Amino acid sequence: MRLAAWFVAHEAFDVLQEIDKILRVSGSPYDWGLYDKRALDVVGEDEVDPSTFKIRISAGLVDFAEAKAEVMVWKDMPEYSRDEEQRPHGLWLEIPNNEYMFGRFGFDDEKSAASPADGELLGPHSDDERLFQEADFAALLRRNAHNLGFVDPWRDRVEFLLNELLLSYLEPYINPLGRSFDTVLTAAEALTPQRAPQRDESRTLDSYLFQYLTQPHADPIPDWDAAAIAARVRAFLFSRSGEQRGLFSNNEYIAGLCRGLAFLIGEVLEIASNGAKDSCRSKIVPADVRIAVRNDAELSSVFKYSRVYWDGTE
């Protein structure tokens, strides 16, 4: 493999823990290159050729103590030499389909933590709490994702990740609303404050969610086992709501909620399938899902409390 960027961690970090995270999420949450002013102070902004660091498609590991010297040597190499050069203090990695963007998404553009505090993250949940099964995803893939499917042997990991996104959405957003409102309409209005008129061409995600919550049967999904999914969703919400079940006993509310969940995952799968096709792959991998969520501001907001989304899996 080859390196086209550098990973640098402060001595206070646990190196093994950081490397483990990198391996799990396909990228590095830190960088030493064009996006870091420390690098520009050393290399000099006028001297930097954008092709030198190739930050959008790669990531790497390097000994912190040797980082400055290694980068100074590397920046003066012709690009073809970098691919072949064996440096003693770093590992060169190329990550396709802009997955380096995912590697950095633990931080925002100001180098501050973009994820919620660790105590706010939810999951991972148990396997018996999964809401969508293989057949449910197959129906959504046919409808939204060019029927691409999930790559083997990571099918279960993709399905696990998608279910974790849904479960981490239900707990902080849906669970309190279902116990606080008496009608489907009032709950839907509270959940979707950014909804726009239905005929507006720039409809927001909230607009679609409001439509599905209040009209759950208007746009049926072929081969979709709505009853089985509704039972699983209700069971999960009952397990989190105690005695205050409110709208969770309302069949129309649960039906609308299930249709809204299908819409959210359908959006993720559509973007993920486009990313897979752009990488000349005929199957979706876990990174496609993460990048799809990361690249969409509305989806990022909806699924931000998922621990598996941020940290990956063991």
Side-chain angles (χ1 to χ4, degrees), residues 168-236:
S168 68
Y169 170 67
L170 288 181
E171 286 201 62
Y173 293 109
I174 305 300
N175 190 32
L177 288 178
R179 294 182 286 116
S180 303
F181 293 92
D182 297 326
T183 69
V184 173
L185 180 60
T186 54
E189 289 174 341
L191 181 65
T192 59
Q194 303 301 320
R195 63 188 181 281
Q198 290 193 10
R199 294 184 180 180
D200 189 336
E201 293 183 359
S202 58
R203 292 181 66 186
T204 62
L205 182 143
D206 275 3
S207 300
Y208 288 101
L209 282 178
F210 181 82
Q211 173 187 332
Y212 291 123
L213 284 167
T214 56
Q215 304 173 49
H217 310 294
D219 184 20
I221 301 172
D223 303 319
W224 178 254
D225 192 347
I229 294 170
R232 291 192 289 268
V233 169
R234 179 180 277 117
F236 177 78

Side-chain angles (χ1 to χ4, degrees), residues 30-149:
Y30 318 94
D31 61 85
W32 206 92
L34 288 179
Y35 290 159
D36 195 319
K37 293 180 180 178
R38 294 173 301 171
L40 294 180
D41 291 340
V42 175
V43 177
E45 188 167 4
D46 295 336
E47 302 176 34
V48 176
D49 179 346
S51 67
T52 301
F53 289 98
K54 288 188 177 178
I55 347 188
R56 292 185 60 80
I57 61 170
S58 23
L61 298 172
V62 65
D63 184 336
F64 180 82
E66 304 291 338
K68 179 177 176 181
E70 288 293 313
V71 170
M72 295 302 292
V73 170
W74 181 46
K75 83 177 186 66
D76 293 325
M77 292 181 188
E79 186 172 331
Y80 63 85
S81 297
R82 292 187 226 124
D83 296 348
E84 302 172 356
E85 181 76 8
Q86 299 296 317
R87 306 300 304 168
H89 303 292
L91 174 67
W92 292 41
L93 303 171
E94 179 176 356
I95 302 176
N97 192 30
N98 293 336
E99 290 179 27
Y100 182 65
M101 184 181 297
F102 173 71
R104 291 185 72 252
F105 85 33
F107 291 83
D108 58 22
D109 291 339
E110 300 301 322
K111 300 289 182 181
S112 300
S115 64
D118 187 70
E120 297 179 294
L121 295 176
L122 301 170
H125 300 81
S126 63
D127 287 343
D128 60 7
E129 291 180 314
R130 293 191 186 191
L131 303 178
F132 289 5
Q133 306 296 326
E134 183 175 346
D136 307 318
F137 287 119
L140 292 176
L141 288 166
R142 286 191 294 270
R143 180 184 176 95
N144 296 89
H146 317 288
N147 203 25
L148 251 58

